[in-house]
Amino acid sequence: MGEHGKEYWRSWMLSQEFQIMQGHTGDYWSQASSAIDIRAFLPESIMNAVADERQPFLAVGAGEKNQGFVLRKDNHELPDGQWNTLELICFEGQSLHIVNGQVVMVLRNSRYRDEQGQVQPLVQGKLQLQSEAAEVFYRRIQLKSLSRLPARYQALFSEG
């Protein structure tokens, strides 16, 4: 959302990141002043939070107690030389990170802090594809508009 160079390294726009990196595909990074709630284990001491859809939602990112990084639930990447299929489903502030058909992270309440420090919803913007000093290949990128969250995933967002 907005201009490039808004986060710490001055490279990317204000955003929620679905990490695409060998060994970490599906991880979450907060960029700039973004925050979100993720079903994850509460981190201990200096450890990172780890996603798990059976856990309560944990507030992560700018203005929150927990830093802006969460490890995906499991590693579902395919062996070297094979193509991974990634899905990022976003609908009304809720999102899912899906790697090769497996949900690895459940996120909701996408937001950011504006220049006055006020919390604003972060529910639209640009899709950013990037490479972080490593070779990456993308193919068959598809964008689809949703009128509702797919039924098979709705229970992941309900309380209790």
Side-chain angles (χ1 to χ4, degrees):
M1 184 170 135
E3 301 174 18
H4 286 280
K6 293 295 184 182
E7 75 356 299
Y8 178 80
W9 299 106
R10 305 287 184 250
S11 301
W12 302 293
M13 295 178 205
L14 164 66
S15 61
Q16 311 289 12
E17 180 177 333
F18 178 143
Q19 176 79 34
I20 302 172
M21 182 175 82
Q22 187 174 19
H24 288 279
T25 300
D27 290 353
Y28 166 82
W29 282 95
S30 167
Q31 295 297 336
S33 63
S34 68
I36 202 160
D37 301 335
I38 301 174
R39 286 198 182 276
F41 288 100
L42 189 63
E44 295 182 31
S45 185
I46 62 169
M47 298 180 72
N48 294 308
V50 177
D52 188 291
E53 71 275 2
R54 297 167 295 191
Q55 298 303 309
F57 283 97
L58 179 67
V60 175
E64 303 299 344
K65 180 181 172 185
N66 299 291
Q67 67 174 345
F69 174 69
V70 178
L71 290 162
R72 80 268 182 257
K73 176 184 171 185
D74 297 310
N75 183 356
H76 290 284
E77 296 173 42
L78 297 177
D80 287 351
Q82 296 183 34
W83 286 98
N84 289 294
T85 300
L86 310 179
E87 294 177 75
L88 173 61
I89 297 176
C90 299
F91 185 74
E92 295 181 348
Q94 302 176 120
S95 60
L96 296 164
H97 293 186
I98 303 171
V99 178
N100 295 313
Q102 302 298 313
V103 174
V104 297
M105 194 165 299
V106 179
L107 312 89
R108 73 170 185 193
N109 192 20
S110 178
R111 60 196 178 276
Y112 72 100
R113 292 194 177 269
D114 64 20
E115 292 178 4
Q116 291 74 40
Q118 300 299 308
V119 175
Q120 304 292 334
L122 181 53
V123 294
Q124 64 182 10
K126 298 175 182 176
L127 178 65
Q128 301 177 83
L129 300 178
Q130 55 94 4
S131 173
E132 195 169 335
E135 191 172 58
V136 64
F137 297 93
Y138 299 98
R139 70 176 186 168
R140 298 183 188 151
I141 296 171
Q142 299 177 10
L143 302 177
K144 298 178 183 178
S145 180
L146 298 176
S147 58
R148 63 185 173 88
L149 186 69
R152 68 181 176 267
Y153 300 122
Q154 289 176 2
L156 293 171
F157 295 96
S158 58
E159 296 294 328

